[in-house]
Amino acid sequence: MDVRRADERYQGGDPAAGIETRHAFSFGPHYDPDNLRFGALIACNEERLAPGAGFDEHPHSHTEIVTWVVEGELTHRDTAGHETVVRAGDVQRLSAAAGVRHVERNDAAVPLTFVQMWLAPLDPGGDPAYEIVRGIADSTPYAVPEAGAMLHVRRLAAGERTAVPDGAYLYVHVVRGSVRLDAEQLDAGDAARVTDADVLDAVAVTRAEVLLWEMAGR
């Protein structure tokens, strides 16, 4: 198990423009050849946008982009014709495939916080696709077969225990609260990268929300 703490993330974004970003993996100018990916996961960005702030139209290709809103509302528009407001509890996925451009903004009057995760597809190319699941239920897995991955959402009460999926690669990201994974306590913003996960449990130290990626070997 490789634990990465919140304060070890690369600091990015543009604070003067109301954008604060914390990168878990090598990203843009924060190039780290020893931290390029884990399993299919190539980015896990914590984003904070002030009211009116956002990312202007920009391109993506050969990437599965999954977004989880923590608080606030994210306005998404893309060149494939989708325009959506994503709220807390929704799972949004944009399959960039051979290429797509999109805009991400906070058009609301309150701050926006979201976690955006990028996964490398098994087979690059194809046509862009978009999907949103409104208010995904706790413990309902969300499959990203294009990347050989499955997202599990866990919302836990203090003291509650949950089984962690077995898998070749398991990525655990704590959105809020604190959990104990094996002998390690993970707090908000912390993450654990587990190889060959087998019979692991997570126990909530406080009320907590956790995202777990179960990924096949490649």
Side-chain angles (χ1 to χ4, degrees), residues 122-195:
L122 297 170
D123 298 305
D127 296 322
Y130 180 85
E131 181 177 45
I132 185 166
V133 178
R134 297 290 189 186
I136 192 166
D138 188 46
S139 300
T140 300
Y142 178 76
V144 185
E146 293 83 354
M150 187 91 71
L151 175 64
H152 303 264
V153 178
R154 296 286 191 271
R155 304 176 183 94
L156 305 171
E160 186 176 353
R161 180 183 299 270
T162 184
V164 171
D166 296 338
Y169 295 98
L170 178 73
Y171 188 87
V172 181
H173 174 82
V174 179
V175 176
R176 64 179 98 226
S178 300
V179 301
R180 186 166 293 281
L181 184 67
D182 199 13
E184 294 284 353
Q185 179 168 318
L186 305 176
D187 301 318
D190 291 350
R193 308 175 189 190
V194 185
T195 305

Side-chain angles (χ1 to χ4, degrees), residues 18 47-53 69-74 105-114:
E47 303 283 2
R48 292 173 173 83
L49 301 184
V69 172
V70 180
E71 57 185 359
E73 297 181 348
L74 171 66
R105 296 197 57 81
N106 179 10
D107 290 333
V110 297
L112 165 66
T113 302
F114 63 97

Side-chain angles (χ1 to χ4, degrees), residues 29-43:
H30 307 288
Y31 178 68
D32 182 351
D34 297 322
N35 190 23
L36 297 177
R37 68 186 292 168
F38 179 75
L41 201 60
I42 56 176

